[in-house]
Amino acid sequence: MLLGLYNYWVVVVLMMVGFYIVIAHGNLVKKIVGLSIFQTSVFIFYISMANIDGATAPILADGIEKYSNPLPHVLILTAIVVGIATTALGLALTVRIKEAYGSIEEDEIQKQDNLDC
Amino acid sequence: MLIAATLAILAVMMMAISRAIMGPTTYDRVLAVNMFGTKTVLLISLLGFVMGRPEFLDIAIVYALINFISVIGVLRYSNRFVIKHSEQSKK
Amino acid sequence: MIVSSGFFLLIGSFLCLTGGLGILRFPDFYTRMHAVGVTDTLATAMILIGLILHNPDFLVDMKLMIILLMTIFISPTASHALANAAKYDELSMQKEKDNESDSELTSSNP
Amino acid sequence: MVVAFAIVRMKDLLAVVMLLGIYSLLSASFFVAMDAVDVAFTEASVGAGISTLLMLVVISMTGRSEHPSRHKPLLALAVVTVTGSLLIYATLDMPYFGSAEAPIHQHVAPRYINDSMQEIGVPNIVTSVLASYRAFDTFGEVVVIFTAGMGVLALLSVVRRSDSSLNNDIFDHSMHEQHLILRIVTKMMIPYILLFAFYVQFHGDFGPGGGFQAGVIFAAAIFLYTMLFGMSTARRVINQSFIQMLAATGVLLYGSVGVVSLLNGKEFFDYSALAADPVAGQHLGILLVELGVGITVASIMIIIFFNFVGRRNNPLRKENKGY
């Protein structure tokens, strides 16, 4: 009975792993990885919602009546590309931080900031 | 038969994953990733047949290409990096 | 037709499993490389041929052929590049090797 | 689904080596391939290819080892557990996986599925929704991508190459001598990759594909070239300012399609104004819009990659001199 919800649990677990990485790790690149895992979990969530039992991909063809819901696909398709763009932006910031501080660990950056003040 | 092949490929994928997790060196991981990519291509083409809509082989083509590109990328950047790394640790 | 396609698929799956076993059980990198590099191409070719025999549609067959060709080109090249890089690397860092494998667990550099 | 759990385990385990970033994306896309072809397509090209490459470049710049100093992991774990259990509790109200009665399938989706063939005349519903029904959204996304590319450009834009470039080229050259087979195969492959990108671009109406995917594949071919033949060669082929102009052209092409339909007395992005026959107009509009998207995505990805790699080459030299 409850097993019908397992896709959401997968999503939740993935999401929490990403969340944990973002919170607990000090390394900025690692944080971005965590963020992208989080992102992926959201994608999976949407796509699994779009799924219908016995349906196929939403490309019209003869002799097929049941299609998956195309709307989440569209949303996620664009979200993936936007996700990579934002990830690239984050990485660019990381590179700049590395150049400015010589480190991408959160606590070391903070230490240097404290020294500066 | 299609389903049997799919299951076999899934099993192999699990093996590749475990190698990539354990993999003592970077190259082991790259190898596992490469293998995983090839198996993904196969899996997608098989799945197309299992689900009865084999028109979508384009994805498999993309995977084959992207897999190649990412392996080359890994080698190109990790390789140089490793060299630099070892220089540093010598100093 | 179906029988022969099933035959090819079976061979392909068997080769895949062999390769998987190889990557899991062989002791060092080069042997693993060997296991994967050899079986991968052949297994892919077998499974794709099986699928081609399975399907009469021309367009789908063409796409499968494209994948097959690409795999035949790409897979050995990637293996070659990998082995080459590993060899090159090993030559320059023979003594660092265990350091390298350690450093993934702990960054214990002096 | 099982693979997803394996990934979760693995992600916890790997603390330092980023190589497995590839992994999560590859598996995620495999997972996605279960039901949504277009999304699987995008994820394949974007997730497995481009983001991995970018991460690798960045890692090679910033160093690979991570300090194990995880402050307060217990607190973080507690927060995560609490949030996770709350979310799981929330899922109890959700509709079952794969049920056709879920509210999401009742709202606008049936209209898209049933009417899009008459209204748009394109078999791939995803494309028609993307480029026609929700053209505003997509336009927004394209602008976001454009902005992100500009942001990367602003953050990382390379100072003109100094004397170290010569040094660099020699190093690159010696790398290439090693990879003779690789270079030849790559030379053979690249035209086909580009051709395939165009196929994906223009076949998007009928099968999975479209501007986003095609752009990314196109960019991936250029990346391959850059990786094997060096930055300076690639820059000779593709001029930076030309690419920047192209990116802007893509966005403008998209926008101008909307403006043309506005001028023809219809609403913004109502393509039926583009031709006498509304369905033909829709078709033309979708084609143009996808072209705009493709151009923008490809050039922005190339800009991002070039800037990362260019950045990487320069400070590395400086650092080495500093020793």
Side-chain angles (χ1 to χ4, degrees):
Chain A
M1 161 94 180
L2 279 177
L3 276 178
L5 295 169
Y6 68 105
N7 63 320
Y8 301 116
W9 298 343
V10 172
V11 169
V12 169
V13 171
L14 271 175
M15 195 180 263
M16 287 307 112
V17 170
F19 193 33
Y20 176 76
I21 292 175
V22 173
I23 298 177
H25 288 257
N27 190 309
L28 289 179
V29 176
K30 192 76 185 220
K31 272 179 197 289
I32 291 177
V33 174
L35 217 56
S36 72
I37 293 177
F38 199 100
Q39 224 174 18
T40 315
S41 79
V42 177
F43 299 161
I44 292 173
F45 176 60
Y46 268 66
I47 297 300
S48 68
M49 292 231 291
N51 193 19
I52 302 177
D53 281 338
T56 59
I59 293 175
L60 298 172
D62 298 332
I64 296 174
E65 275 133 38
K66 273 173 101 176
Y67 297 101
S68 297
N69 194 337
L71 190 55
H73 295 186
V74 175
L75 299 179
I76 294 311
L77 198 152
T78 48
I80 289 173
V81 183
V82 170
I84 180 67
T86 47
T87 307
L89 200 61
L91 289 173
L93 280 172
T94 313
V95 169
R96 286 309 292 259
I97 288 171
K98 166 80 176 174
E99 282 172 9
Y101 290 88
S103 161
I104 51 168
E105 300 289 331
E106 216 171 34
D107 34 359
E108 286 175 25
I109 293 168
Q110 215 129 46
K111 223 182 281 167
Q112 286 194 14
D113 266 352
N114 291 342
L115 283 179
D116 285 347
C117 308
Chain B
M1 199 39 84
L2 286 174
I3 293 169
T6 315
L7 287 179
I9 286 173
L10 277 177
V12 177
M13 279 168 120
M14 295 306 280
M15 289 177 188
I17 288 181
S18 53
R19 174 49 68 195
I21 298 169
M22 295 190 301
T25 63
T26 313
Y27 293 109
D28 277 308
R29 289 170 208 266
V30 181
L31 182 65
V33 167
N34 184 17
M35 180 179 179
F36 193 81
T38 332
K39 292 297 168 292
T40 316
V41 173
L42 285 182
L43 185 73
I44 287 176
S45 28
L46 276 169
L47 271 181
F49 278 86
V50 171
M51 295 193 303
R53 298 203 63 182
E55 296 99 334
F56 307 135
L57 287 167
D58 300 347
I59 307 166
I61 301 178
V62 175
Y63 263 89
L65 292 175
I66 292 294
N67 185 30
F68 179 61
I69 290 174
S70 60
V71 168
I72 302 294
V74 171
L75 289 177
R76 178 94 166 92
Y77 291 115
S78 69
N79 195 8
R80 235 208 225 178
F81 177 68
V82 167
I83 293 167
K84 188 178 161 254
H85 189 77
S86 64
E87 272 169 13
Q88 267 180 354
S89 56
K90 261 178 221 157
K91 279 170 194 170
Chain C
M1 208 62 156
I2 295 293
V3 175
S4 56
S5 111
F7 180 67
F8 275 114
L9 284 178
L10 205 62
I11 294 180
S13 325
F14 174 70
L15 284 171
C16 270
L17 282 174
T18 331
L21 218 57
I23 200 177
L24 208 57
R25 298 288 300 171
F26 273 161
D28 73 340
F29 171 72
Y30 288 102
T31 45
R32 276 180 217 138
M33 173 105 242
H34 173 76
V36 175
V38 172
T39 56
D40 227 24
T41 321
L42 192 59
T44 312
M46 283 298 161
I47 288 185
L48 288 177
I49 289 173
L51 287 181
I52 290 175
L53 289 177
H54 195 275
N55 188 285
D57 190 359
F58 177 71
L59 190 66
V60 175
D61 279 356
M62 278 316 288
K63 282 179 186 167
L64 282 171
M65 286 295 279
I66 290 172
I67 298 176
L68 184 56
L69 273 178
M70 279 189 170
T71 321
I72 286 175
F73 275 116
I74 285 172
S75 180
T77 315
S79 307
H80 163 82
L82 198 56
N84 204 5
K87 178 164 164 280
Y88 186 77
D89 215 35
E90 217 82 0
L91 282 178
S92 64
M93 35 189 299
Q94 190 75 357
K95 52 182 179 291
E96 310 256 6
K97 199 189 165 199
D98 26 27
N99 194 357
E100 162 77 18
S101 57
D102 277 352
S103 70
E104 287 176 4
L105 300 173
T106 55
S107 55
S108 63
N109 279 5
Chain D
M1 289 283 181
V2 184
V3 177
F5 273 111
I7 300 298
V8 172
R9 284 263 162 70
M10 190 186 68
K11 269 298 174 191
D12 266 342
L13 276 177
L14 74 96
V16 183
V17 179
M18 285 274 309
L19 219 62
L20 300 184
I22 302 173
Y23 235 98
S24 87
L25 292 163
L26 211 59
S27 314
S29 37
F30 145 70
F31 178 59
V32 164
M34 292 301 204
D35 32 25
V37 268
D38 272 282
V39 180
F41 215 129
T42 323
E43 177 78 30
S45 41
V46 171
I50 308 244
S51 66
T52 314
L53 281 182
L54 286 181
M55 293 252 176
L56 276 168
V57 176
V58 170
I59 282 177
S60 71
M61 273 193 281
T62 57
R64 172 156 137 204
S65 60
E66 181 195 20
H67 292 245
S69 66
R70 285 193 258 156
H71 33 221
K72 299 168 269 170
L74 270 180
L75 180 62
L77 204 62
V79 170
V80 165
T81 322
V82 169
T83 326
S85 42
L86 280 178
L87 281 175
I88 288 200
Y89 177 67
T91 61
L92 295 182
D93 286 342
M94 298 295 280
Y96 285 147
F97 177 60
S99 74
E101 286 83 42
I104 184 175
H105 304 307
Q106 309 299 332
H107 187 46
V108 286
R111 170 160 173 212
Y112 289 151
I113 291 175
N114 296 329
D115 300 347
S116 72
M117 198 61 192
Q118 284 88 47
E119 287 179 12
I120 314 285
V122 166
N124 187 351
I125 307 175
V126 173
T127 304
S128 63
V129 175
L130 179 84
S132 183
Y133 289 114
R134 304 205 138 254
F136 261 132
D137 280 7
T138 314
F139 189 54
E141 311 277 7
V142 173
V143 173
V144 168
I145 293 166
F146 184 72
T147 319
M150 290 303 114
V152 171
L153 198 63
L155 282 170
L156 292 183
S157 70
V158 195
V159 201
R160 277 299 109 201
R161 267 171 293 148
S162 50
D163 55 336
S164 61
S165 67
L166 194 70
N167 206 340
N168 210 352
D169 278 352
I170 292 169
F171 186 61
D172 272 354
H173 198 66
S174 67
M175 283 294 289
H176 298 153
E177 287 304 308
Q178 242 191 80
H179 294 317
L180 185 63
I181 296 181
L182 219 60
R183 282 170 75 192
I184 291 171
V185 172
T186 310
K187 259 185 199 164
M188 268 159 54
M189 296 300 296
I190 282 177
Y192 294 106
I193 299 180
L194 294 179
L195 193 66
F196 184 67
F198 283 116
Y199 164 76
V200 170
Q201 169 83 53
F202 295 112
H203 195 255
D205 302 355
F206 305 100
F212 285 102
Q213 294 93 330
V216 173
I217 294 169
F218 196 89
I222 306 289
F223 289 5
L224 188 57
Y225 187 78
T226 316
M227 282 189 294
L228 281 171
F229 296 89
M231 199 54 210
S232 41
T233 329
R235 270 198 198 277
R236 225 174 294 147
V237 178
I238 293 158
N239 197 342
Q240 172 100 28
S241 53
F242 173 65
I243 277 289
Q244 284 168 18
M245 217 172 66
L246 216 57
T249 316
V251 177
L252 286 178
L253 180 62
Y254 196 143
S256 59
V257 173
V259 173
V260 167
S261 58
L262 197 64
L263 289 179
N264 281 1
K266 290 283 175 64
E267 283 161 16
F268 202 48
F269 290 128
D270 190 354
Y271 308 132
S272 38
L274 291 181
D277 179 18
V279 173
Q282 290 282 0
H283 219 102
L284 184 66
I286 286 178
L287 204 67
L288 284 175
V289 163
E290 291 273 6
L291 195 63
V293 172
I295 291 173
T296 314
V297 171
S299 41
I300 288 293
M301 291 294 159
I302 293 171
I303 285 177
I304 290 174
F305 186 72
F306 272 17
N307 277 302
F308 271 106
V309 173
R311 195 71 181 190
R312 176 170 174 275
N313 287 342
N314 280 348
L316 213 67
R317 300 290 128 205
K318 254 187 266 163
E319 212 174 77
N320 282 357
K321 273 178 202 158
Y323 273 116

